[in-house]
């Protein structure tokens, strides 16, 4: 229902029934009364954008749920392991070298590569004697992210104003201009990675009990950490490479859903997939229509929703500690 309504909303409103006719027509079935203008607007502009919003929301939400299980902390998100800072470094390097003007694929490629490389750097630096303590990961993740932020600032101070604007637009996170090309390069790998997350549900439930208990039950926590970090890095890296840096989806969606379905990852993962997709589609719809005809970045909407909720979580945790 959210999917259909979101497709219909925009500068030209299309009623849900006409949206359904258009979607059935795209599926290859003949539908009486399908409007050609609807087919053009939906097929060329709205449908690819909403598919990207859905799959990116699903990916970031699942990545957040996995990281929260890995760190056994419901306030963790993929940024802790350096994926966001790595993606931003890749993006700014691409823009500084003007490679994004040569081919539209260079910016997502560089941001994806940056996310992956920095995540592995954090993991390698945090690993001692084939063990990766969670505290090491957090502290080194913060240190590396801070260092990369400094490099980004250094690069920003030495590029043109136009390039700075391009980078800021990327950092705000947006889905405007997304086409079937972006769907083709991201949809299949992200769906495969999301499905892979189900494999880890039972073992994350065991990991949450503690590392010693995991060894006792037959789960190797070190191997599981490595596998989860790879999966989270790939999910986040590919997602931000086509959407820019969209904040808080990976933090608040799984956290809210945990309150509804509980901490069993056999339920939390499918709930995060559904919730993340719906959340980002709704945020993107608001971004499109709130100040229409001017469109704002979807990352601004997720930050407006997410930042107060994050502060609420901090306050709640502070009160629990005080009690």
């Amino acid at each position: 229902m959210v999917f259909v309504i979101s497709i219909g909303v925009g500068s030209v409103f299309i009623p849900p029934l006409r949206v359904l006719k258009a979607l059935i027509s795209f599926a290859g079935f003949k539908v009486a009364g399908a409007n050609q203008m609807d087919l053009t607007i939906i097929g060329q502009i709205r449908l690819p954008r909403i598919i990207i919003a859905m799959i990116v929301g699903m990916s970031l939400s699942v990545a957040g749920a996995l990281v929260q299980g890995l760190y056994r902390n419901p306030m963790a998100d993929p940024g802790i392991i350096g994926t966001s800072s790595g993606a931003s470094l890749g993006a700014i390097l691409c823009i500084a070298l003007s490679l994004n003007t040569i081919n539209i694929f260079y910016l997502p490629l560089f941001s994806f590569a940056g996310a992956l490389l920095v995540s592995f750097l954090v993991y390698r630096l945090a690993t001692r004697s084939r063990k990766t303590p969670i505290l090491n990961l957090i502290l080194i993740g913060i240190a590396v992210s801070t260092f990369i932020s400094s490099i980004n600032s250094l690069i920003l101070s030495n590029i043109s104003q136009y390039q700075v604007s391009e980078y800021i637009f990327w950092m705000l996170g947006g889905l405007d201009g997304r086409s079937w090309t972006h769907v083709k390069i991201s949809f299949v790998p992200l769906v495969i990675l999301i499905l892979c997350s189900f494999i880890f549900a039972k073992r994350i439930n065991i990991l949450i009990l503690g590392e010693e208990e995991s060894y006792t039950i037959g789960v190797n926590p070190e191997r599981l950490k490595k596998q989860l970090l790879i999966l989270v890095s790939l999910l986040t890296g590919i997602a931000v490479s086509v959407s820019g840096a969209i904040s808080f989806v990976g933090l608040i969606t799984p956290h809210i859903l945990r309150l509804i379905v509980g901490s069993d990852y056999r339920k939390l993962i499918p709930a995060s997939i559904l919730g993340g997709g719906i959340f980002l589609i709704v945020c993107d719809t608001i971004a499109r229509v709130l100040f229409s005809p001017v469109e704002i970045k979807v990352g601004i909407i997720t930050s407006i929703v997410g930042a107060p909720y994050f502060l609420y979580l901090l306050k709640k945790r502070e009160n629990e500690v005080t009690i």
Side-chain angles (χ1 to χ4, degrees), residues 97-299:
L97 296 171
S98 299
L99 295 175
N100 57 316
T101 61
I102 299 173
N103 191 307
I104 62 168
F105 290 110
Y106 282 152
L107 185 57
L109 183 65
F110 268 66
S111 57
F112 169 66
L116 208 57
L117 287 173
V118 173
S119 299
F120 275 103
L121 174 65
V122 170
Y123 176 77
R124 291 298 302 166
L125 291 174
T127 302
R128 294 283 184 278
S129 304
R130 296 186 178 183
K131 290 191 175 182
T132 314
I134 296 299
L135 184 60
N136 274 13
L137 267 176
I138 295 173
L139 295 177
I140 291 176
I142 292 171
V144 170
S145 295
T146 306
F147 177 70
I148 289 176
S149 295
S150 302
I151 294 177
N152 289 349
S153 300
L154 184 64
I155 297 173
L156 278 172
S157 62
N158 287 282
I159 59 178
S160 70
Q161 190 62 40
Y162 176 74
Q163 289 172 318
V164 172
S165 301
E166 282 190 293
Y167 174 69
I168 290 173
F169 273 115
W170 183 87
M171 280 298 292
L172 290 174
L175 300 171
D176 47 304
R178 295 301 176 269
S179 63
W180 288 110
T181 303
H182 296 92
V183 175
K184 286 176 184 174
I185 62 174
S186 63
F187 188 82
V188 172
L190 286 176
V191 167
I192 292 172
L193 291 168
I194 288 170
L195 293 176
C196 286
S197 65
F198 285 95
I199 300 171
F200 298 100
K202 192 175 178 181
R203 281 183 282 168
I204 294 174
N205 284 341
I206 296 172
L207 181 66
I208 291 172
L209 298 174
E211 296 194 10
E212 290 186 8
E213 289 80 358
S214 300
Y215 274 118
T216 306
I217 299 173
V219 172
N220 185 330
E222 293 303 322
R223 186 186 304 158
L224 180 57
K225 286 178 199 171
K226 191 185 294 184
Q227 292 169 340
L228 287 176
L229 286 170
I230 292 171
L231 181 56
V232 169
S233 300
L234 290 172
L235 274 169
T236 312
I238 297 174
V240 300
S241 72
V242 293
S243 67
I246 298 177
S247 306
F248 291 108
V249 180
L251 171 67
I252 63 173
T253 312
H255 192 275
I256 291 173
L257 292 169
R258 185 178 284 103
L259 298 175
I260 299 171
V261 303
S263 297
D264 185 343
Y265 270 73
R266 290 170 296 182
K267 297 178 182 175
L268 184 58
I269 287 177
S272 297
I273 292 170
L274 184 64
I278 292 173
F279 176 69
L280 200 55
I281 287 175
V282 171
C283 288
D284 184 51
T285 305
I286 294 171
R288 281 192 287 125
V289 302
L290 187 62
F291 297 110
S292 181
V294 177
E295 189 176 308
I296 58 176
K297 296 288 183 180
V298 66

Side-chain angles (χ1 to χ4, degrees), residues 17-36 38-40 42-43 47:
L17 184 59
R18 281 166 48 187
V19 172
L20 285 173
K21 284 182 178 178
L23 292 177
I24 294 170
S25 180
F26 283 126
F29 298 98
K30 288 186 178 179
V31 182
N35 187 302
Q36 187 57 45
D38 293 349
L39 294 175
T40 303
I42 293 172
L47 189 55

